[in-house]
Amino acid sequence: MGMSIPQYLGQMDIRKGVVGLATGAGFIYLLYKAIKAGIKCQPPLCTASPICIARECAGPRERALPQEAPAPEASNVGGPKGLAVERERHGRDSGELRRLLNSLEYKQDEYAKSMILHSITRCVYLLEAEASSCTADDISLVGSMLDDEDNSVKIQALNTLKAFSGIRKFRLKIQEHTIKVLELISTIWDSELHVAGLRLLNSLPLPDYVHPQLRRVMPALMEILQSNYILAQVQAIRLLSYLAQKNDLLYDILNCQVHSNFLNLFQSTQPGSLLFEVLVFAERLSEGRNSPHYRAVKWHYNEQSLHEALFGDESRLADRLLALVIHPEEEVQIQACKVIVSLQCSQDVGVRPSSCRPSHSYFNSGEN
């Protein structure tokens, strides 16, 4: 049985040394930093420019890792891309992107299609004016490559659509491929395809009509999250964090079956980038289940559900959170404190009803 946060904190005065940070001035400082970060910090807005995306500017649900997308680079085969960029700087259309899109229409083998799509992606990032002059038919042509039998072609097509998603006028057209992308990431176990597909989904607003499909792929998303491929895990958790804010999807997420070792994702040995995203996810789940809308219904969860792993009587989440308060990365420390405050809030509601929204909490003894 894991101890709750209050029980754990009650024993802290006899645990000197490192853990003392959780109850002393260090913990108060971190709480201050967490509150200050929540009030003050907002991510900088980026433009829809392909150049902005090429500089790793994040999409609506992205805090992009440097290694997740290839940075634009000059061609190492005679330098045609460099010449094309130079022409665009002088207001001249190089025609490079149009030639590549036209060549994609002809019958090509899988390798050729992959290389053409890769080149198109680079051009979209580098040649802003030419990319903006493309049409909806061009998006449909690239989208049709998602039906190719070769996974490498699918991956390159996903990357190309991701590049085009940075141009606002193409987003609605790209949204038409959302269900196909969800189908791919839920039926093909390929880490690179998962990363490419999830990065695309995280760059787009997801319309309500895809929610039924999202419910069906929820187990696959949870499996990707519990895989051992960091880039795919980070993208999956970002998508799940976004979906956790949707009232009609929250229960499907909380009742999704997880592995018995799910809380290993909260271990301090995990990469800081993944830990931070997992903690954001936990905070959003806690806030969602505490909302009046969600509390209006008496929900039932299966024994292996995410809800039981995080908030059930047998959960050891409290232990993991308190260990993360002394994590070397301050971003992780602050986010761990935010989750602790979110979970503790429901227990304090009877004493300070104005301090937070009423909620059920697994910290209340004898209550699920």
Side-chain angles (χ1 to χ4, degrees):
M1 284 284 290
M3 288 186 290
S4 67
I5 295 288
Q7 291 171 332
Y8 209 118
L9 292 178
Q11 295 185 15
M12 285 296 179
D13 58 339
I14 62 171
R15 297 182 184 182
K16 304 298 182 182
V18 179
V19 184
L21 177 63
T23 54
F27 187 61
I28 295 173
Y29 170 73
L30 285 173
L31 284 178
Y32 161 75
K33 294 279 286 185
I35 295 170
K36 182 179 178 182
I39 295 173
K40 183 178 179 181
C41 294
Q42 291 293 334
L45 294 175
C46 68
T47 68
S49 162
I51 299 299
C52 179
I53 298 174
R55 291 171 180 164
E56 296 302 322
C57 189
R61 293 180 295 283
E62 287 194 292
R63 291 171 286 277
L65 300 176
Q67 67 269 37
E68 287 180 17
E73 57 186 57
S75 172
N76 54 11
V77 186
K81 297 294 187 303
L83 292 174
V85 172
E86 193 64 29
R87 292 192 194 99
E88 177 158 284
R89 285 176 182 167
H90 291 85
R92 298 194 298 273
D93 190 330
S94 70
E96 178 73 16
L97 183 53
R98 177 49 52 196
R99 283 193 293 272
L100 288 167
L101 286 165
N102 288 342
S103 67
L104 196 61
E105 294 180 343
Y106 298 107
K107 187 174 179 62
Q108 308 277 1
D109 60 32
E110 279 69 19
Y111 178 77
K113 283 187 280 191
S114 291
M115 293 304 297
I116 292 169
L117 286 165
H118 178 70
S119 296
I120 291 173
T121 301
R122 293 174 62 197
C123 281
V124 173
Y125 283 133
L126 290 168
L127 306 177
E128 182 174 2
E130 290 187 37
S132 297
S133 68
C134 290
T135 67
D137 288 339
D138 295 324
I139 303 300
S140 296
L141 174 62
V142 174
S144 69
M145 296 294 108
L146 297 177
D147 292 317
D148 195 274
E149 294 181 358
D150 189 84
N151 281 353
S152 64
V153 175
K154 292 185 177 77
I155 292 168
Q156 294 301 332
L158 290 166
N159 290 336
T160 304
L161 290 173
K162 170 66 171 65
F164 273 117
S165 72
I167 302 174
R168 188 175 301 276
K169 72 174 185 177
F170 294 135
R171 288 180 183 169
L172 284 176
K173 188 65 180 176
I174 296 173
Q175 276 183 1
E176 296 177 6
H177 301 284
T178 299
I179 291 178
K180 179 64 179 179
V181 176
L182 288 170
E183 176 190 326
L184 292 177
I185 64 176
S186 62
T187 58
I188 300 174
W189 194 256
D190 182 296
S191 295
E192 290 187 18
L193 186 144
H194 290 161
V195 172
L198 289 166
R199 288 188 72 241
L200 174 57
L201 294 174
N202 281 326
S203 72
L204 297 170
L206 299 180
D208 290 346
Y209 68 78
V210 303
H211 284 195
Q213 180 68 10
L214 283 165
R215 287 190 185 91
R216 287 192 286 272
V217 305
M218 208 70 76
L221 292 175
M222 207 62 72
E223 284 297 322
I224 296 171
L225 171 58
Q226 296 169 97
S227 69
N228 293 317
Y229 192 63
I230 177 65
L231 296 182
Q233 287 176 288
V234 168
Q235 293 299 329
I237 198 72
R238 287 177 183 169
L239 180 57
L240 286 166
S241 291
Y242 166 73
L243 299 179
Q245 299 173 91
K246 304 293 183 181
N247 289 332
D248 60 327
L249 295 176
L250 180 57
Y251 174 72
D252 297 278
I253 296 174
L254 285 170
N255 198 43
C256 197
Q257 185 168 329
V258 297
H259 299 170
S260 59
N261 63 349
F262 182 83
L263 289 183
N264 285 353
L265 289 170
F266 293 84
Q267 284 184 336
S268 59
T269 53
Q270 296 284 2
S273 57
L274 177 60
L275 269 175
F276 175 78
E277 299 291 349
V278 169
L279 289 166
V280 170
F281 181 45
E283 182 187 18
R284 290 183 178 173
L285 290 174
S286 176
E287 291 174 348
R289 66 191 284 270
N290 290 340
S291 68
H293 175 86
Y294 195 77
R295 293 176 54 248
V297 178
K298 183 173 177 59
W299 303 99
H300 298 279
Y301 306 94
N302 68 66
E303 292 181 1
Q304 289 80 39
S305 68
L306 176 62
H307 179 275
E308 293 305 294
L310 295 180
F311 310 117
D313 290 337
E314 303 293 328
S315 175
R316 298 187 63 87
L317 178 61
D319 306 40
R320 301 296 169 88
L321 290 174
L322 289 167
L324 294 179
V325 167
I326 57 173
H327 191 272
E329 297 183 33
E330 186 180 50
E331 184 181 50
V332 173
Q333 295 175 5
I334 292 173
Q335 191 57 44
C337 288
K338 287 182 177 180
V339 180
I340 290 173
V341 170
S342 175
L343 295 172
Q344 186 69 24
C345 185
S346 60
Q347 187 186 40
D348 296 342
V349 70
V351 179
R352 298 191 305 274
S354 62
S355 64
C356 60
R357 292 181 298 236
S359 63
H360 292 292
S361 171
Y362 81 115
F363 295 120
N364 295 335
S365 59
E367 184 177 340
N368 288 330

